Amino acid sequence: MAATDETGPAGQNTTVPGTPPPAGPPADPAPRTGARMPRWLPRAMVLALALIAVFQLGSWAFHQLTGLLINVLIAFFLALAVEPAVSWMAARGVRRGFGTFLVFVGVLVVGAGFVTLLGSMLAEQIIKIVEDFPQYLDSVINWINNHFHTELRRVDIQENLLRSDWLRNYVQNSATGVLDVSAQVLGGLFRLLTVALFSFYFAADGPRLRRAICSVLPPARQAEVLRAWEIAVNKTGGYLYSRGLMALISGLAHYVLLEFLDVPYAPVLAVWVGLVSQFIPTIGTYLAGALPMLIAFTVAPWYAVWVLVFVVVYQQFENYVLQPKLTARTVDIHPAVAFGSVIAGTALLGAVGALIAIPAVATLQAFLGAYVKRYDVTDDPRVLGHRGSGGSGGSGAFGRRVRGLWAQRRPEDDAAGPSEAGAGAAGAGAPGSGAAGAPGPGEGGTAGAS
């Protein structure tokens, strides 16, 4: 009974010969609608929502702190610029804090003196223009009346100008915009103070800052960070000092010209030309030359032309002779790269980006040059821009084509050569002597010799 029981061990393994094996359990015809959610899905959804929230919060914080980050970036580059002077004084026993204070005081005194001189010059020029404005207006009115046969009067023009809606609207807008201008001035002063404070701390506590950064890095990374920092200091400081030296030379050259032309305020104008032309990229030369031209024009119109010619000639001398010699060891970058970096910096950070673009690119170029492996260039004429006669293009390929065509035509010319030679010889013979044009075999050498 136990042996034939289907539930027993023997009954499970025995089958009747010639019968198919029993089928398995029936498959589920349709999936169950009550399947549970995977356990990882809620956690993934929560993680995705948390990442989106963190990204949105970071984006909002970045946009709110953009002004502060730009100020810190400016302060960092200013600290790099004054680092060589501070380190020089620290090596001679001066405390870094006091040395940084002396450097900042010197920069502040020079900047304040320049702004004061320039402001007084502009104020005097504006007062002079306002006082002489009626005479200028009378001369313009007389010129218009003489050339266009009109009857304009200065009194009528002044009354129409004072009663015009444009002047009334301008005065109202100016009155309402006083608060905006005041807010912008206060904001600019606060921003300047922020940059000065960060620059002072970066320069005074430079060694402590480098030590704090290197303390969280392995020794190999510490060496790379210190090398990058040294390159940045050298390039930024070299850029500033080379520009300062070129500004001094430019100011002296323009001062000599303005004194020779007897243009008023020659020292202030020379300082203006030197600083603006060197520390404002791309358009600094044109802004620097515009003010001396305007002041020279008030003295004599031809003086403005002489100033323009001198500015253009000196700019070429500076670009091709002076600047390569002074910046060869400090900021040695290609002019096209400098121009592109200024455009990119302006697009990213505005005027601030234009000012720090060149030292930043010079630092990056020097850092990459220290780690990028270089190879010897082959002695190929094409490297120097010369195309040899055996080159693949140009005059070499054209010459080969011409020689190939000439070689293809030569067998035909050789086949037609005897008849053409006989005809030529017949034409060259004496008139009336037909045998002279076709000599026999024995006569060829005599004819050739004669």
Side-chain angles (χ1 to χ4, degrees):
M1 190 69 182
T4 59
D5 190 7
E6 294 179 358
T7 61
Q12 293 178 357
N13 299 328
T14 58
T15 57
V16 179
T19 60
D28 194 359
R32 291 176 296 176
T33 58
R36 297 181 60 184
M37 182 184 301
R39 295 181 178 180
W40 57 267
L41 186 58
R43 297 179 181 178
M45 295 177 62
V46 172
L47 181 60
L49 293 176
L51 290 177
I52 293 175
V54 170
F55 175 77
Q56 294 292 336
L57 180 62
S59 177
W60 173 81
F62 178 78
H63 285 87
Q64 294 296 324
L65 298 176
T66 301
L68 178 61
L69 295 177
I70 293 176
N71 292 337
V72 173
L73 182 62
I74 298 173
F76 180 72
F77 273 94
L78 288 179
L80 292 179
V82 301
E83 178 75 16
V86 175
S87 300
W88 181 81
M89 287 188 290
R92 283 156 179 78
V94 181
R95 296 178 55 185
R96 289 189 65 90
F98 185 68
T100 306
F101 175 76
L102 293 178
V103 172
F104 273 78
V105 168
V107 173
L108 181 62
V109 170
V110 172
F114 172 71
V115 172
T116 302
L117 292 176
L118 185 63
S120 62
M121 182 198 69
L122 292 178
E124 292 182 5
Q125 289 296 317
I126 291 173
I127 293 174
K128 182 178 179 181
I129 291 174
V130 171
E131 292 178 351
D132 297 340
F133 181 75
Q135 299 178 2
Y136 296 150
L137 186 59
D138 289 338
S139 61
V140 172
I141 291 174
N142 293 331
W143 184 84
I144 294 174
N145 292 332
N146 293 330
H147 288 78
F148 297 98
H149 305 288
T150 58
E151 296 181 357
L152 297 177
R153 292 187 304 173
R154 179 162 58 88
V155 178
D156 298 335
I157 295 175
Q158 291 177 352
E159 291 180 357
N160 293 330
L161 181 62
L162 293 176
R163 295 177 182 178
S164 63
D165 296 334
W166 173 81
L167 182 61
R168 188 181 301 108
N169 294 331
Y170 178 78
V171 172
Q172 292 177 358
N173 295 331
S174 300
T176 56
V178 170
L179 295 178
D180 296 336
V181 173
S182 301
Q184 291 179 0
V185 171
L186 292 177
L189 292 176
F190 179 76
R191 185 176 181 180
L192 182 61
L193 179 62
T194 303
V195 171
L197 287 176
F198 276 108
S199 302
F200 181 83
Y201 289 133
F202 285 153
D205 294 338
R208 187 182 304 175
L209 178 61
R210 289 190 286 271
R211 189 178 299 109
I213 294 176
C214 293
S215 63
V216 297
L217 297 174
R221 297 295 181 184
Q222 292 179 13
E224 293 181 1
V225 169
L226 293 176
R227 182 179 180 85
W229 194 293
E230 182 181 3
I231 291 174
V233 169
N234 293 334
K235 293 299 179 181
T236 307
Y239 171 76
L240 179 64
Y241 298 140
S242 62
R243 288 291 176 178
L245 183 57
M246 287 191 295
L248 178 62
I249 298 174
S250 176
L252 291 176
H254 288 83
Y255 171 75
V256 172
L257 173 69
L258 296 176
E259 280 291 338
F260 178 77
L261 297 178
D262 199 14
V263 177
Y265 308 105
V268 182
L269 291 176
V271 174
W272 162 267
V273 172
L275 293 179
V276 174
S277 62
Q278 300 302 325
F279 290 99
I280 297 182
T282 308
I283 61 173
T285 302
Y286 308 103
L287 293 178
L291 185 60
M293 287 175 57
L294 180 62
I295 303 300
F297 185 82
T298 59
V299 178
W302 283 107
Y303 286 1
V305 177
W306 285 113
V307 172
L308 176 61
V309 171
F310 183 82
V311 168
V312 172
V313 173
Y314 180 81
Q315 187 65 29
Q316 303 305 315
F317 168 76
E318 180 182 283
N319 291 337
Y320 294 100
V321 178
L322 186 62
Q323 184 173 352
K325 294 182 179 298
L326 293 179
T327 61
R329 297 184 179 180
T330 55
V331 190
D332 189 13
I333 59 177
H334 195 273
V337 177
F339 182 70
S341 63
V342 169
I343 294 177
T346 305
L348 292 176
L349 299 176
V352 176
L355 290 175
I356 67 176
I358 294 179
V361 171
T363 302
L364 180 61
Q365 178 179 345
F367 185 73
L368 293 178
Y371 290 96
V372 175
K373 186 177 181 180
R374 298 182 181 274
Y375 302 92
D376 294 334
V377 181
T378 59
D379 296 332
D380 195 322
R382 290 171 293 182
V383 176
L384 302 176
H386 301 158
R387 302 184 66 88
S389 59
S392 60
S395 60
F398 180 74
R400 288 198 301 273
R401 294 192 189 98
V402 172
R403 289 193 296 269
L405 293 175
W406 180 254
Q408 293 176 3
R409 295 183 59 183
R410 287 187 64 182
E412 301 176 0
D413 296 338
D414 294 337
S419 60
E420 295 176 1
S433 59
E443 300 175 355
T446 307
S450 59

